[in-house]
Amino acid sequence: MKLFLFIIIFAISAFAQISQESADLNKKRQPIVVPKFSSEPVIDGKIDDEIWKSAAVFNNFIQITPGDNIQASKETIAYLGYDEKNLYLSVMSFDEADKIRATLAKRDQVGGEDNIRLTLDTFDDGRRAYALFFNPFGIQGDGIQTENGVDLSVDIVMESKGVILENGWSIEAKIPFKSLRYVAGKGKFWGINISRTINRLNNEVDSWSRIERNISNLQQLGKITGLEDIKTDRTIEIVPSITLSESGQRISTLTSPDFSRILNKPVKQDVGVSIKYQITPNVTLDAAINPDFAEVESDAPVILANTRFPTFFPEKRPFFLEGNDYFRTPLQVVNTRNIADPDVALKLTGKSGRNTFGILTAVDRFPNTKTKAYIGVLRLKRDFGSQSNIGLIATTYHFGARRHNTLLGFDGKWQFSDQANFNFQVVGTKSGRNFFNPNVNQNEYRNGNGIAYQTNYDYTGKNRGLFIGVNGRSKDFRADVGFTRRTNTHGANFGFRLGTEPKPEKTLIKFVTRHFLGYVMDERGRLQETNYNLNGELIFQKQLEVRFGLGFGVEKIYEDEFGARRNINQLGRFFGDENRGAFQRSFRLDADKNINKRISVEAGIKFSQNEFDLDFGANERFTRVSPWFFSPLRDVLDKRLDPGKANSFGYDIGIDLTPTDPLTISLSYEREKLTRNDTKLIAFDSNIFSLRSTYQFTRFIFARTRIDYDTLDATINSQLLFGWSPNPGTAFYAGYNDNSSYKGFNDFRGEFDNGFRRDGRRFFIRMSYLFRRSF
């Protein structure tokens, strides 16, 4: 009898819980009406203003990572309201105060600690949304979320504060509508989700919306409405800037024992202005006149030895980052880093109904020449269905009378279901420029037409996935406004993903494998590469992640890819065989561990067999090591190459320290060594040591140190920077950049130095101020 009563009570309890979960889910599927506030709350992080009692409430959060829509470990309650000018958010995150992980972080650097994320799809189209982050101190992060992830390069003006309490932490935020692009009014909806990350609990993410892993997050947002009384203003932002700099550079001189000296240049000033005019809430015009791009952010050092193709570096300049997702396409035909130093640039971006558009134009100047480049970009896209679209992209680049490039292309995406889609892009180019002719071993000016294409079928399931694709670029394809790694290459690829169901309570929470098979050839049908790669990821308790990669493949190279093609009139670029092939194997193992709120480490090791030493030579310390280079038959004027098989070995380690909440220190070391198989000589041995340290005096004032030492070319690049930036646009920076070398090759003396040598330096002060007016 007791057993029978227990079963009945258990069944009733389970049914009640299921009924409550179903009721909560149905409630979240209904649009939430956001009330209009009669007064403005004080943004101090404390949710104690009376007005919050009238706000829309978001509660009953559920865990979506690492668990799959299960009960959250901690309670979270959010509140939302608005007035004519601002959207207001407050969130109470219940927790144990001494276990909260938060620092006085730099903007956009709050992802590795506890945080709140507000996702706002202000066009309610499931394609693009704002992602706004706040840590327990109210430090902000902001970006644009698309199906490809979150781009944190966008900065919007908003106000936020956070406080740590005895029973958790809370934040308040005021988000001006004029900082957003949106459509609002009676009967209009916005997509919304509010989520919370608890860093120490295996990066647990608790979400207000139920999120299925096999459907795009943007398709699973809740809805808010009631934003009917927004005061629509035209907003203009003007950011004048001035940079004062004084630099020195080492030059050649016969009067110095070192045959060189530092030449100090006069103080230089650069004055510019950036203008943003919000024509409507969803259409914005940006302009920049002589924009100043002082070296506030620097590229991380990378190993460039023994590389055939260009290396991509991301854009970091605020003017070009704003709205750059409007111009992004699969083939990367727009890369604004090709606009080096513009006199003037204009950009018009926006969305009207299902139509998205972007126009970019710039006049780029080059040092030591009066010739300028004229650049233009046009982007149009039309949405249809729930997630499908069709688009057009056109670019033009003109530099003088003998270099011009025009590109026109179409792209699209067809969403079959929540899990499957087909996408494509095809572009054609027409260029007038120098093309290398391997049959005569010289550049020839001519017109050339090219084509590039990619198409892909993608299925993304909960614990499995599949993709099939083809892509290629013809021999004469050129995209002078974009980034092209390689031309004369065409290939097909296939891949699939298999994973286990996440089990948050187990030692091994999740295991995922990804398999990739590819085949690439040139236009003559010659094999360039075929490979198989297996990658795996294991997620353990206590924030330990282990990743591995295993690869097998065949690579072939041909002398006409490097220079002259042998014929009756000339020798080929290669000494010996005119093509080379190798069966290659590679392995990599990486691990990340977050030890506690103060220490995290990462490490990796890799090796590969039979990759090619291309016989370029890295520098004076690591010259060419091929048999031909050491052959007594080699003439000094003979520029032929003798590529051969080599083995590569490398490892890296990094540690992030937070001794105190305001201070962060990152140390890293990376080594890569390539040894030639036939001569057993080292083609290069690169060691990169890096230090990054930031002290955040307040939310807006910081001091930063950066030092990079690369043993390959013996360079030491360092920066000291003091900054104050209360909001995007208003900033003061004082910095010192130094470029030196240690026991490097001295081009002025033709031998190696015994110690340090300074090659250049620069001191700069940059000031800008945001003037923002609405009318």
Side-chain angles (χ1 to χ4, degrees):
M1 184 65 179
K2 291 182 180 180
L3 177 61
F4 179 71
L5 290 175
F6 174 79
I7 293 174
I8 292 177
I9 293 172
F10 178 81
I12 293 173
S13 300
F15 178 77
Q17 182 178 354
I18 293 171
S19 299
Q20 181 61 47
E21 291 177 352
S22 177
D24 292 339
L25 181 59
N26 289 332
K27 180 181 177 181
K28 293 176 182 180
R29 286 174 176 170
Q30 299 299 318
I32 303 295
V33 178
V34 180
K36 183 179 180 182
F37 282 175
S38 58
S39 62
E40 179 178 334
V42 177
I43 306 301
D44 58 6
K46 303 174 183 177
I47 314 174
D48 54 6
D49 294 86
E50 190 70 18
I51 195 65
W52 285 118
K53 294 181 180 180
S54 63
V57 180
F58 298 76
N59 54 13
N60 299 315
F61 282 55
I62 54 178
Q63 183 185 150
I64 62 172
T65 299
D68 186 8
N69 291 303
I70 64 175
Q71 183 177 354
S73 300
K74 304 293 180 180
E75 183 182 6
T76 308
I77 305 176
Y79 305 88
L80 204 65
Y82 84 103
D83 60 21
E84 291 182 344
K85 295 183 178 180
N86 306 293
L87 183 70
Y88 299 98
L89 169 74
S90 66
V91 183
M92 179 62 210
S93 302
F94 292 92
D95 205 345
E96 300 163 71
D98 60 336
K99 295 183 179 180
I100 295 169
R101 294 186 177 179
T103 64
L104 284 174
K106 180 185 174 184
R107 188 186 187 97
D108 291 337
Q109 300 297 316
V110 300
E113 52 193 39
D114 293 354
N115 66 79
I116 291 294
R117 171 174 171 173
L118 171 65
T119 303
L120 285 175
D121 181 358
T122 54
F123 290 97
D124 192 32
D125 60 4
R127 292 173 168 84
R128 181 182 187 269
Y130 290 97
L132 310 180
F133 301 83
F134 309 94
N135 84 346
F137 294 127
I139 307 297
Q140 302 168 4
D142 44 10
I144 299 296
Q145 180 180 354
T146 64
E147 61 180 5
N148 298 317
V150 178
D151 179 3
L152 293 174
S153 61
V154 175
D155 290 332
I156 71 171
V157 178
M158 55 184 173
E159 181 182 349
S160 62
K161 292 288 180 63
V163 293
I164 295 179
L165 309 168
E166 292 182 358
N167 61 341
W169 57 280
S170 62
I171 63 102
E172 290 180 305
K174 179 171 72 174
I175 306 160
F177 290 116
K178 62 185 178 182
S179 294
L180 307 175
R181 303 182 184 209
Y182 64 92
V183 173
K186 189 173 182 179
K188 299 295 184 180
F189 298 92
W190 286 8
I192 188 172
N193 190 28
I194 302 169
S195 59
R196 171 191 178 186
T197 297
I198 308 176
N199 181 255
R200 73 180 185 278
L201 301 180
N202 297 308
N203 285 314
E204 176 179 328
V205 178
D206 300 331
S207 170
W208 176 72
S209 291
R210 181 182 178 90
I211 301 296
E212 301 293 342
R213 297 171 187 255
N214 58 343
I215 304 174
S216 168
N217 287 2
L218 294 177
Q219 290 292 297
Q220 303 182 74
L221 303 180
K223 303 291 183 184
I224 57 174
T225 188
L227 304 175
E228 301 176 3
D229 296 325
I230 297 176
K231 184 179 180 182
T232 302
D233 296 326
R234 288 186 174 90
T235 301
I236 187 169
E237 298 179 2
I238 302 176
V239 183
S241 64
I242 181 171
T243 298
L244 303 175
S245 62
E246 192 274 332
S247 61
Q249 184 176 0
R250 184 167 293 277
I251 63 170
S252 176
T253 177
L254 297 178
T255 60
S256 169
D258 191 41
F259 300 108
S260 65
R261 68 180 180 89
I262 292 289
L263 173 64
N264 294 314
K265 298 181 180 180
V267 174
K268 178 184 177 183
Q269 66 177 28
D270 281 318
V271 178
V273 62
S274 297
I275 303 170
K276 180 192 296 292
Y277 178 46
Q278 193 175 39
I279 302 172
T280 68
N282 55 342
V283 178
T284 302
L285 174 67
D286 293 274
I289 302 172
N290 190 32
D292 167 54
F293 300 133
E295 301 93 327
V296 175
E297 297 289 344
S298 302
D299 295 315
V302 296
I303 299 172
L304 298 177
N306 201 50
T307 56
R308 299 171 58 189
F309 308 113
T311 300
F312 176 77
F313 292 97
E315 181 62 85
K316 296 185 177 182
R317 300 170 293 180
F319 174 81
F320 292 113
L321 289 173
E322 168 65 25
N324 68 347
D325 57 296
Y326 283 79
F327 302 96
R328 192 174 294 127
T329 64
L331 286 174
Q332 208 169 353
V333 296
V334 176
N335 175 29
T336 52
R337 287 198 67 149
N338 287 332
I339 306 174
D341 190 11
D343 281 332
V344 62
L346 294 171
K347 180 167 54 179
L348 180 69
T349 54
K351 182 167 186 176
S352 178
R354 289 181 169 268
N355 302 307
T356 303
F357 61 89
I359 301 172
L360 172 65
T361 183
V363 179
D364 202 11
R365 59 176 176 255
F366 292 83
N368 304 320
T369 178
K370 294 182 179 180
T371 305
K372 297 183 179 182
Y374 297 87
I375 300 159
V377 180
L378 171 66
R379 173 63 168 161
L380 302 173
K381 189 166 71 171
R382 170 75 176 181
D383 297 335
F384 64 92
S386 63
Q387 279 286 285
S388 303
N389 59 69
I390 188 77
L392 175 146
I393 186 79
T395 70
T396 180
Y397 187 99
H398 287 269
F399 180 69
R402 293 180 62 83
R403 181 175 173 183
H404 60 82
N405 174 254
T406 302
L407 177 148
L408 177 65
F410 298 90
D411 62 281
K413 175 186 173 184
W414 181 19
Q415 191 79 29
F416 295 100
S417 65
D418 290 335
Q419 293 79 32
N421 70 78
F422 170 80
N423 63 77
F424 77 93
Q425 184 175 14
V426 58
V427 299
T429 63
K430 183 176 182 179
S431 306
R433 59 183 299 147
N434 286 325
F435 289 88
F436 179 75
N437 185 347
N439 293 317
V440 295
N441 194 24
Q442 65 182 19
N443 289 318
E444 297 177 337
Y445 182 86
R446 62 177 175 85
N447 292 321
N449 298 324
I451 188 173
Y453 58 91
Q454 76 88 33
T455 183
N456 189 61
Y457 169 80
D458 184 274
Y459 172 83
T460 302
K462 184 178 180 180
N463 295 314
R464 62 186 187 278
L466 171 72
F467 74 88
I468 304 172
V470 296
N471 60 82
R473 294 172 176 83
S474 68
K475 180 179 63 175
D476 286 350
F477 173 80
R478 299 292 186 274
D480 287 355
V481 186
F483 176 80
T484 304
R485 182 176 180 270
R486 187 178 189 180
T487 61
N488 190 17
T489 182
H490 305 267
N493 48 72
F494 166 79
F496 63 94
R497 167 180 58 89
L498 294 174
T500 63
E501 185 71 16
K503 298 178 180 179
E505 73 284 355
K506 299 294 185 180
T507 301
L508 177 60
I509 298 174
K510 190 173 183 179
F511 176 43
V512 180
T513 62
R514 294 177 174 86
H515 307 257
F516 176 88
L517 181 65
Y519 181 90
V520 185
M521 64 181 182
D522 67 10
E523 292 179 3
R524 298 172 62 185
R526 301 180 300 184
L527 172 68
Q528 293 175 330
E529 184 179 0
T530 182
N531 57 69
Y532 165 76
N533 290 286
L534 165 64
N535 297 298
E537 180 180 17
L538 299 92
I539 302 176
F540 296 92
Q541 292 286 346
K542 298 183 179 180
Q543 294 179 274
L544 172 63
E545 293 187 17
V546 177
R547 298 176 299 277
F548 67 87
L550 182 65
F552 302 92
V554 174
E555 182 183 6
K556 289 193 174 183
I557 58 177
Y558 307 92
E559 68 177 1
D560 53 16
E561 298 178 302
F562 295 79
R565 178 185 292 132
R566 62 187 66 188
N567 55 42
I568 194 172
N569 298 315
Q570 64 184 16
L571 295 173
R573 182 69 165 118
F574 286 175
F575 172 77
D577 295 337
E578 60 183 310
N579 58 70
R580 317 286 166 96
F583 177 71
Q584 301 170 337
R585 296 173 290 273
S586 64
F587 176 76
R588 180 171 182 103
L589 179 67
D590 296 277
D592 300 340
K593 170 64 176 170
N594 195 332
I595 298 175
N596 54 45
K597 68 178 292 183
R598 301 296 184 190
I599 304 174
S600 63
V601 296
E602 57 182 6
I605 187 170
K606 61 181 181 180
F607 64 85
S608 65
Q609 291 181 313
N610 296 332
E611 69 174 84
F612 277 110
D613 165 39
L614 301 175
D615 200 24
F616 293 153
N619 51 32
E620 289 78 11
R621 180 173 280 108
F622 293 101
T623 59
R624 296 168 60 186
V625 294
S626 64
W628 171 244
F629 184 74
F630 292 104
S631 169
L633 301 178
R634 181 182 66 86
D635 187 272
V636 176
L637 298 178
D638 192 339
K639 302 297 183 182
R640 284 188 288 177
L641 300 175
D642 187 12
K645 300 174 186 177
N647 292 334
S648 174
F649 173 74
Y651 52 89
D652 57 84
I653 186 170
I655 180 169
D656 292 330
L657 304 173
T658 308
T660 63
D661 288 345
L663 177 63
T664 58
I665 301 172
S666 296
L667 299 166
S668 66
Y669 168 64
E670 178 184 3
R671 184 186 184 189
E672 185 169 341
K673 179 181 178 181
L674 184 69
T675 304
R676 183 97 176 195
N677 290 359
D678 45 19
T679 62
K680 307 301 180 183
L681 297 175
I682 298 174
F684 71 85
D685 189 352
S686 172
N687 299 264
I688 297 178
F689 301 84
S690 295
L691 164 68
R692 304 284 189 275
S693 179
T694 300
Y695 192 89
Q696 204 79 29
F697 297 97
T698 69
R699 290 179 58 189
F700 309 123
I701 301 175
F702 68 90
R704 186 169 71 210
T705 301
R706 175 186 65 84
I707 302 174
D708 297 307
Y709 174 43
D710 186 350
T711 63
L712 186 62
D713 53 13
T715 57
I716 305 173
N717 296 319
S718 60
Q719 181 187 69
L720 297 174
L721 183 69
F722 173 83
W724 170 72
S725 182
N727 59 59
T730 299
F732 173 85
Y733 297 107
Y736 176 75
N737 295 337
D738 187 277
N739 306 110
S740 302
S741 64
Y742 177 67
K743 293 186 177 181
F745 187 78
N746 191 321
D747 292 317
F748 304 99
R749 293 190 293 114
E751 59 185 30
F752 287 94
D753 291 319
N754 293 321
F756 288 94
R757 183 185 77 245
R758 172 172 290 160
D759 295 312
R761 59 172 182 78
R762 183 173 185 257
F763 175 78
F764 67 89
I765 296 176
R766 182 184 186 274
M767 296 172 284
S768 62
Y769 188 81
L770 170 64
F771 295 92
R772 198 180 204 206
R773 295 292 181 268
S774 299
F775 52 91

